[in-house]
Amino acid sequence: MAFDFDTVPDRRGTSSMKWDKDGGRDVIPLWVADMDFPGPAAVDRALRARIDRGVLGYTMPPVSLVAAVRDYLAGHFGWEIDPAWIVWLPGLVTGLNVACRAVGVPGDDVITATPVYPPFLTAPSHSGRRLVRVPMVADRDRWQWDFDRLEAAAGPRTRLLMLCSPHNPVGRVFSRGELEELVDWSVRHDVIICSDEIHCDLVLDPDRRHIPTATLGPAARDRTITLMAPSKTFNLPGLGCAFAVIAPPELRRRFRHAMAGIVPAVNLLGFAAAEAAYRHGWDWHAALLDVLRGNRDRVQSAVDAMPGLTTWPVEATYLAWIDARAAGIEDPAVVFEEGGVGLSNGTEFGLPGFVRLNFGCAPALLEKALGRMSTALGKRSGAPTA
Ligand SMILES: Cc1ncc(COP(=O)(O)O)c(C=O)c1O
């Protein structure tokens, strides 16, 4: 079946966070992590069918959706779960914040590796926990955990490790060895792992495979809160449907307790879309990955040709992490925005001088944006544009 990933949909005037933030200015928005593609047709049909039934009352998680999630986890990752392990959530950011509240007490330490998706940096303080940052290290090929610094960062009050896997923004798919080292560390220091795996279905590198942290053996299973959603996979983030998988009963009880009376239920359209996507969205998803691979390669070659910019191979996600510190500009996000391209500012991820580029869009729009970036850099340096 043919899918259309070339049309640029008109998202302005839809209260789109990505497209309507700039109030109609001519800025191509390549920032917040949603894609400019309609999701699978099966999702559209399921949403219409649900509306046609009328009466939009309170809703329970459909038994058939729970079965779809179990089949998905078993089929894609060889992960057999008990339905009781699933905790439905209106979003993963909610899950990150609930995890901080559910583990330990105020004053305890939460460790994360930086740079990282901004809510990892803010969630600990929302519940009176102390954020401890362990900077990742980069060579020409990839970003990695600094296990010596991680070891040194563990203290008597360390209770939680917030792991982003695959990693936003550095695009890594962590290997079994890397994940096992994190699990060994967490066992040694008796730390719970909150593993945000929202990007797990967006592995672009054919040589890599996503491994859910909790599947690494009984020790991992018994100390991991896994957060997942169909929202990045099928581009449904506006529908607010996500879930945690938590095997240990006591940890799950604490997680549910931290949610009680505060976290709303998932809405019925979110459930309907999730089930249709997990059951019928995979042809669309395979075509999506091909488009994203092409866009990733184009970003890599275009950025390589821009003086002063460095980027890394994106193993997963539709996000490129770009180092602009050698470009001789003070705030690259501002310079590119003035040049007509809206990128995420690295400062929000814990690393000033960097920007994050979302290439989940039609190739022609991406090309236009890359051209504008090159021109913006050229104007600043006075050099000819690449
Ligand atoms: C790593 C990561 N976690 C969570 C989210 C957001 O999740 P949600 O929209 O379900 O709150 C994002 C969105 O970009 C993300 O990249």
Short mmCIF file of all heavy atoms in Angstrom, two decimals, residues 166-212:
data_model
loop_
_atom_site.label_atom_id
_atom_site.label_comp_id
_atom_site.label_asym_id
_atom_site.label_seq_id
_atom_site.Cartn_x
_atom_site.Cartn_y
_atom_site.Cartn_z
N PRO A 166 15.23 4.29 23.86
CA PRO A 166 16.30 5.04 23.22
C PRO A 166 16.35 6.49 23.72
O PRO A 166 15.37 6.98 24.27
CB PRO A 166 15.94 5.00 21.73
CG PRO A 166 15.06 3.80 21.58
CD PRO A 166 14.31 3.69 22.86
N HIS A 167 17.50 7.10 23.47
CA HIS A 167 17.76 8.37 24.15
C HIS A 167 17.41 9.60 23.31
O HIS A 167 17.88 9.75 22.18
CB HIS A 167 19.24 8.43 24.54
CG HIS A 167 19.54 9.52 25.51
ND1 HIS A 167 19.73 10.82 25.12
CD2 HIS A 167 19.64 9.52 26.86
CE1 HIS A 167 19.95 11.56 26.20
NE2 HIS A 167 19.90 10.79 27.27
N ASN A 168 16.58 10.44 23.90
CA ASN A 168 16.27 11.77 23.37
C ASN A 168 17.06 12.76 24.21
O ASN A 168 16.84 12.80 25.42
CB ASN A 168 14.75 12.02 23.50
CG ASN A 168 14.37 13.47 23.22
OD1 ASN A 168 15.19 14.27 22.81
ND2 ASN A 168 13.11 13.79 23.49
N PRO A 169 17.98 13.55 23.68
CA PRO A 169 18.14 13.88 22.27
C PRO A 169 19.30 13.20 21.54
O PRO A 169 19.49 13.49 20.35
CB PRO A 169 18.44 15.38 22.33
CG PRO A 169 19.31 15.52 23.55
CD PRO A 169 18.74 14.51 24.53
N VAL A 170 20.10 12.34 22.16
CA VAL A 170 21.34 11.93 21.46
C VAL A 170 21.12 10.76 20.51
O VAL A 170 22.05 10.34 19.83
CB VAL A 170 22.53 11.66 22.43
CG1 VAL A 170 22.79 12.88 23.31
CG2 VAL A 170 22.33 10.40 23.25
N GLY A 171 19.89 10.21 20.47
CA GLY A 171 19.54 9.24 19.43
C GLY A 171 20.16 7.87 19.59
O GLY A 171 20.22 7.11 18.62
N ARG A 172 20.63 7.54 20.78
CA ARG A 172 21.25 6.22 20.97
C ARG A 172 20.22 5.12 21.23
O ARG A 172 19.24 5.33 21.94
CB ARG A 172 22.20 6.26 22.19
CG ARG A 172 23.55 6.90 22.02
CD ARG A 172 24.45 6.19 21.01
NE ARG A 172 24.41 4.71 21.10
CZ ARG A 172 25.02 4.00 22.06
NH1 ARG A 172 25.76 4.57 22.98
NH2 ARG A 172 24.95 2.69 22.06
N VAL A 173 20.52 3.94 20.68
CA VAL A 173 19.84 2.71 21.09
C VAL A 173 20.86 1.97 21.95
O VAL A 173 21.88 1.51 21.43
CB VAL A 173 19.47 1.84 19.86
CG1 VAL A 173 18.83 0.54 20.30
CG2 VAL A 173 18.55 2.62 18.93
N PHE A 174 20.64 1.91 23.23
CA PHE A 174 21.66 1.33 24.10
C PHE A 174 21.76 -0.18 23.87
O PHE A 174 20.76 -0.87 23.68
CB PHE A 174 21.35 1.65 25.57
CG PHE A 174 21.42 3.13 25.86
CD1 PHE A 174 20.31 3.81 26.32
CD2 PHE A 174 22.59 3.84 25.63
CE1 PHE A 174 20.36 5.18 26.56
CE2 PHE A 174 22.65 5.21 25.86
CZ PHE A 174 21.54 5.87 26.33
N SER A 175 23.00 -0.67 23.91
CA SER A 175 23.25 -2.10 23.67
C SER A 175 22.89 -2.89 24.93
O SER A 175 22.74 -2.33 26.02
CB SER A 175 24.73 -2.32 23.36
OG SER A 175 25.49 -2.01 24.51
N ARG A 176 22.78 -4.20 24.74
CA ARG A 176 22.52 -5.06 25.90
C ARG A 176 23.60 -4.83 26.97
O ARG A 176 23.31 -4.73 28.15
CB ARG A 176 22.51 -6.52 25.45
CG ARG A 176 22.28 -7.53 26.57
CD ARG A 176 22.19 -8.94 26.00
NE ARG A 176 20.98 -9.10 25.20
CZ ARG A 176 19.78 -9.38 25.70
NH1 ARG A 176 19.63 -9.59 27.00
NH2 ARG A 176 18.73 -9.49 24.93
N GLY A 177 24.85 -4.72 26.54
CA GLY A 177 25.96 -4.54 27.49
C GLY A 177 25.80 -3.25 28.29
O GLY A 177 26.01 -3.24 29.50
N GLU A 178 25.47 -2.19 27.60
CA GLU A 178 25.30 -0.89 28.30
C GLU A 178 24.14 -0.97 29.31
O GLU A 178 24.25 -0.52 30.45
CB GLU A 178 25.03 0.23 27.29
CG GLU A 178 26.23 0.65 26.48
CD GLU A 178 25.85 1.59 25.33
OE1 GLU A 178 25.10 1.18 24.43
OE2 GLU A 178 26.29 2.75 25.35
N LEU A 179 23.04 -1.58 28.86
CA LEU A 179 21.88 -1.66 29.76
C LEU A 179 22.18 -2.58 30.95
O LEU A 179 21.79 -2.29 32.10
CB LEU A 179 20.65 -2.16 29.00
CG LEU A 179 20.11 -1.19 27.94
CD1 LEU A 179 19.06 -1.86 27.06
CD2 LEU A 179 19.52 0.06 28.60
N GLU A 180 22.92 -3.67 30.68
CA GLU A 180 23.26 -4.57 31.79
C GLU A 180 24.14 -3.86 32.82
O GLU A 180 24.00 -4.08 34.03
CB GLU A 180 23.94 -5.83 31.25
CG GLU A 180 22.92 -6.82 30.73
CD GLU A 180 23.53 -8.03 30.02
OE1 GLU A 180 24.76 -8.04 29.76
OE2 GLU A 180 22.76 -8.93 29.70
N GLU A 181 25.01 -3.00 32.32
CA GLU A 181 25.88 -2.28 33.25
C GLU A 181 25.04 -1.33 34.13
O GLU A 181 25.30 -1.18 35.33
CB GLU A 181 26.94 -1.50 32.46
CG GLU A 181 28.12 -1.14 33.31
CD GLU A 181 29.43 -0.96 32.54
OE1 GLU A 181 29.52 -1.35 31.36
OE2 GLU A 181 30.37 -0.42 33.15
N LEU A 182 24.02 -0.72 33.53
CA LEU A 182 23.14 0.15 34.32
C LEU A 182 22.35 -0.66 35.35
O LEU A 182 22.18 -0.24 36.50
CB LEU A 182 22.16 0.89 33.39
CG LEU A 182 22.78 1.95 32.49
CD1 LEU A 182 21.76 2.52 31.52
CD2 LEU A 182 23.38 3.09 33.33
N VAL A 183 21.89 -1.83 34.93
CA VAL A 183 21.12 -2.67 35.87
C VAL A 183 22.04 -3.14 37.01
O VAL A 183 21.66 -3.08 38.19
CB VAL A 183 20.47 -3.87 35.15
CG1 VAL A 183 19.87 -4.85 36.16
CG2 VAL A 183 19.40 -3.39 34.17
N ASP A 184 23.26 -3.56 36.68
CA ASP A 184 24.20 -4.00 37.73
C ASP A 184 24.44 -2.86 38.73
O ASP A 184 24.46 -3.07 39.95
CB ASP A 184 25.54 -4.41 37.12
CG ASP A 184 25.44 -5.71 36.35
OD1 ASP A 184 24.39 -6.36 36.47
OD2 ASP A 184 26.39 -6.03 35.61
N TRP A 185 24.62 -1.67 38.18
CA TRP A 185 24.83 -0.49 39.05
C TRP A 185 23.62 -0.30 39.97
O TRP A 185 23.77 -0.05 41.17
CB TRP A 185 25.06 0.74 38.17
CG TRP A 185 25.09 2.04 38.89
CD1 TRP A 185 26.18 2.66 39.43
CD2 TRP A 185 23.97 2.91 39.17
NE1 TRP A 185 25.81 3.84 40.03
CE2 TRP A 185 24.47 4.02 39.88
CE3 TRP A 185 22.61 2.84 38.90
CZ2 TRP A 185 23.64 5.06 40.33
CZ3 TRP A 185 21.79 3.88 39.34
CH2 TRP A 185 22.31 4.96 40.04
N SER A 186 22.42 -0.43 39.39
CA SER A 186 21.21 -0.17 40.19
C SER A 186 21.03 -1.24 41.28
O SER A 186 20.54 -0.95 42.37
CB SER A 186 19.97 -0.07 39.30
OG SER A 186 19.67 -1.33 38.77
N VAL A 187 21.45 -2.46 40.97
CA VAL A 187 21.37 -3.52 42.00
C VAL A 187 22.37 -3.22 43.12
O VAL A 187 22.04 -3.27 44.31
CB VAL A 187 21.64 -4.90 41.36
CG1 VAL A 187 21.79 -5.97 42.44
CG2 VAL A 187 20.52 -5.27 40.39
N ARG A 188 23.60 -2.86 42.72
CA ARG A 188 24.66 -2.56 43.71
C ARG A 188 24.23 -1.46 44.66
O ARG A 188 24.51 -1.49 45.85
CB ARG A 188 25.93 -2.11 42.99
CG ARG A 188 26.95 -3.15 42.82
CD ARG A 188 28.35 -2.63 42.53
NE ARG A 188 28.49 -1.51 41.63
CZ ARG A 188 28.42 -1.58 40.30
NH1 ARG A 188 28.18 -2.74 39.71
NH2 ARG A 188 28.59 -0.50 39.55
N HIS A 189 23.53 -0.46 44.12
CA HIS A 189 23.18 0.71 44.94
C HIS A 189 21.71 0.71 45.37
O HIS A 189 21.23 1.70 45.92
CB HIS A 189 23.52 2.00 44.18
CG HIS A 189 25.00 2.12 43.90
ND1 HIS A 189 25.90 2.48 44.89
CD2 HIS A 189 25.72 1.90 42.79
CE1 HIS A 189 27.13 2.48 44.36
NE2 HIS A 189 27.04 2.14 43.10
N ASP A 190 21.02 -0.39 45.10
CA ASP A 190 19.61 -0.55 45.45
C ASP A 190 18.77 0.63 44.95
O ASP A 190 18.09 1.32 45.73
CB ASP A 190 19.46 -0.72 46.98
CG ASP A 190 18.07 -1.22 47.32
OD1 ASP A 190 17.38 -1.72 46.41
OD2 ASP A 190 17.65 -1.07 48.49
N VAL A 191 18.84 0.85 43.66
CA VAL A 191 18.16 1.97 43.03
C VAL A 191 17.07 1.44 42.09
O VAL A 191 17.26 0.42 41.42
CB VAL A 191 19.20 2.81 42.23
CG1 VAL A 191 18.54 3.79 41.29
CG2 VAL A 191 20.13 3.54 43.20
N ILE A 192 15.93 2.12 42.04
CA ILE A 192 14.86 1.80 41.09
C ILE A 192 15.18 2.50 39.77
O ILE A 192 15.69 3.62 39.76
CB ILE A 192 13.49 2.30 41.62
CG1 ILE A 192 13.14 1.61 42.95
CG2 ILE A 192 12.37 2.12 40.59
CD1 ILE A 192 12.88 0.13 42.85
N ILE A 193 14.85 1.84 38.65
CA ILE A 193 15.05 2.46 37.33
C ILE A 193 13.70 2.83 36.74
O ILE A 193 12.80 2.00 36.68
CB ILE A 193 15.76 1.49 36.35
CG1 ILE A 193 17.11 1.04 36.92
CG2 ILE A 193 15.93 2.13 34.98
CD1 ILE A 193 17.82 0.01 36.04
N CYS A 194 13.57 4.10 36.33
CA CYS A 194 12.40 4.50 35.56
C CYS A 194 12.87 4.60 34.11
O CYS A 194 13.67 5.47 33.78
CB CYS A 194 11.85 5.83 36.05
SG CYS A 194 10.46 6.39 35.05
N SER A 195 12.42 3.67 33.27
CA SER A 195 12.95 3.56 31.91
C SER A 195 11.91 4.09 30.92
O SER A 195 10.90 3.45 30.66
CB SER A 195 13.27 2.08 31.63
OG SER A 195 13.96 1.94 30.44
N ASP A 196 12.16 5.28 30.40
CA ASP A 196 11.26 5.92 29.43
C ASP A 196 11.61 5.37 28.06
O ASP A 196 12.66 5.68 27.51
CB ASP A 196 11.47 7.45 29.50
CG ASP A 196 10.67 8.22 28.47
OD1 ASP A 196 10.32 7.64 27.42
OD2 ASP A 196 10.42 9.42 28.71
N GLU A 197 10.70 4.54 27.52
CA GLU A 197 10.98 3.87 26.25
C GLU A 197 10.02 4.32 25.16
O GLU A 197 9.67 3.56 24.26
CB GLU A 197 10.97 2.35 26.50
CG GLU A 197 11.98 1.97 27.58
CD GLU A 197 12.18 0.49 27.85
OE1 GLU A 197 11.72 -0.34 27.05
OE2 GLU A 197 12.82 0.16 28.88
N ILE A 198 9.62 5.59 25.22
CA ILE A 198 8.62 6.12 24.28
C ILE A 198 9.10 6.03 22.82
O ILE A 198 8.29 5.92 21.91
CB ILE A 198 8.24 7.57 24.65
CG1 ILE A 198 6.92 7.99 23.98
CG2 ILE A 198 9.34 8.56 24.32
CD1 ILE A 198 6.33 9.29 24.53
N HIS A 199 10.43 6.06 22.61
CA HIS A 199 10.96 6.04 21.24
C HIS A 199 11.34 4.63 20.77
O HIS A 199 12.02 4.47 19.76
CB HIS A 199 12.18 6.96 21.12
CG HIS A 199 11.85 8.41 21.33
ND1 HIS A 199 11.28 9.20 20.36
CD2 HIS A 199 11.98 9.23 22.42
CE1 HIS A 199 11.08 10.43 20.82
NE2 HIS A 199 11.50 10.47 22.07
N CYS A 200 10.86 3.59 21.51
CA CYS A 200 11.36 2.23 21.25
C CYS A 200 11.03 1.67 19.87
O CYS A 200 11.71 0.76 19.40
CB CYS A 200 10.85 1.28 22.33
SG CYS A 200 9.07 1.11 22.38
N ASP A 201 9.99 2.19 19.22
CA ASP A 201 9.63 1.66 17.89
C ASP A 201 10.24 2.49 16.77
O ASP A 201 9.90 2.30 15.61
CB ASP A 201 8.11 1.65 17.73
CG ASP A 201 7.43 0.76 18.76
OD1 ASP A 201 7.88 -0.38 18.93
OD2 ASP A 201 6.48 1.24 19.41
N LEU A 202 11.10 3.43 17.11
CA LEU A 202 11.67 4.31 16.08
C LEU A 202 13.16 4.05 15.91
O LEU A 202 13.98 4.96 15.79
CB LEU A 202 11.42 5.79 16.45
CG LEU A 202 9.93 6.17 16.48
CD1 LEU A 202 9.75 7.58 17.04
CD2 LEU A 202 9.30 6.07 15.10
N VAL A 203 13.52 2.77 15.89
CA VAL A 203 14.93 2.39 15.67
C VAL A 203 15.19 2.47 14.16
O VAL A 203 14.54 1.77 13.37
CB VAL A 203 15.22 0.98 16.21
CG1 VAL A 203 16.65 0.58 15.89
CG2 VAL A 203 14.97 0.93 17.71
N LEU A 204 16.12 3.33 13.75
CA LEU A 204 16.39 3.55 12.33
C LEU A 204 17.58 2.73 11.84
O LEU A 204 17.70 2.44 10.66
CB LEU A 204 16.66 5.04 12.08
CG LEU A 204 15.55 6.01 12.53
CD1 LEU A 204 15.94 7.46 12.21
CD2 LEU A 204 14.22 5.67 11.90
N ASP A 205 18.48 2.42 12.73
CA ASP A 205 19.69 1.70 12.38
C ASP A 205 19.36 0.21 12.30
O ASP A 205 19.01 -0.40 13.31
CB ASP A 205 20.74 1.99 13.46
CG ASP A 205 22.10 1.45 13.10
OD1 ASP A 205 22.15 0.45 12.34
OD2 ASP A 205 23.09 2.01 13.57
N PRO A 206 19.47 -0.40 11.11
CA PRO A 206 19.06 -1.80 10.96
C PRO A 206 19.89 -2.77 11.82
O PRO A 206 19.46 -3.89 12.09
CB PRO A 206 19.25 -2.09 9.47
CG PRO A 206 19.91 -0.92 8.88
CD PRO A 206 19.96 0.21 9.87
N ASP A 207 21.09 -2.32 12.25
CA ASP A 207 21.94 -3.21 13.06
C ASP A 207 21.59 -3.15 14.55
O ASP A 207 22.22 -3.82 15.36
CB ASP A 207 23.42 -2.83 12.91
CG ASP A 207 23.87 -2.99 11.49
OD1 ASP A 207 23.26 -3.83 10.79
OD2 ASP A 207 24.80 -2.27 11.08
N ARG A 208 20.63 -2.32 14.91
CA ARG A 208 20.33 -2.16 16.35
C ARG A 208 18.92 -2.63 16.64
O ARG A 208 18.04 -2.58 15.79
CB ARG A 208 20.50 -0.71 16.77
CG ARG A 208 21.87 -0.22 16.46
CD ARG A 208 22.38 0.79 17.44
NE ARG A 208 23.82 0.74 17.35
CZ ARG A 208 24.62 0.30 18.30
NH1 ARG A 208 24.14 -0.08 19.45
NH2 ARG A 208 25.92 0.26 18.13
N ARG A 209 18.73 -3.02 17.90
CA ARG A 209 17.44 -3.54 18.35
C ARG A 209 17.17 -2.94 19.72
O ARG A 209 18.08 -2.90 20.56
CB ARG A 209 17.56 -5.06 18.47
CG ARG A 209 16.27 -5.82 18.32
CD ARG A 209 16.59 -7.30 18.06
NE ARG A 209 17.42 -7.88 19.11
CZ ARG A 209 16.94 -8.36 20.26
NH1 ARG A 209 15.67 -8.33 20.53
NH2 ARG A 209 17.77 -8.88 21.16
N HIS A 210 15.94 -2.47 19.93
CA HIS A 210 15.61 -1.95 21.25
C HIS A 210 15.39 -3.11 22.22
O HIS A 210 14.66 -4.05 21.91
CB HIS A 210 14.34 -1.10 21.20
CG HIS A 210 13.89 -0.69 22.57
ND1 HIS A 210 14.57 0.27 23.31
CD2 HIS A 210 12.89 -1.14 23.37
CE1 HIS A 210 13.97 0.40 24.49
NE2 HIS A 210 12.96 -0.44 24.55
N ILE A 211 16.01 -3.01 23.39
CA ILE A 211 15.81 -4.02 24.44
C ILE A 211 15.16 -3.34 25.63
O ILE A 211 15.77 -2.47 26.26
CB ILE A 211 17.16 -4.64 24.88
CG1 ILE A 211 17.90 -5.25 23.69
CG2 ILE A 211 16.94 -5.69 25.98
CD1 ILE A 211 19.33 -5.67 23.99
N PRO A 212 13.90 -3.69 25.97
CA PRO A 212 13.31 -3.09 27.17
C PRO A 212 14.15 -3.44 28.39
O PRO A 212 14.53 -4.61 28.59
CB PRO A 212 11.92 -3.73 27.24
CG PRO A 212 11.62 -4.19 25.84
CD PRO A 212 12.95 -4.58 25.27
#
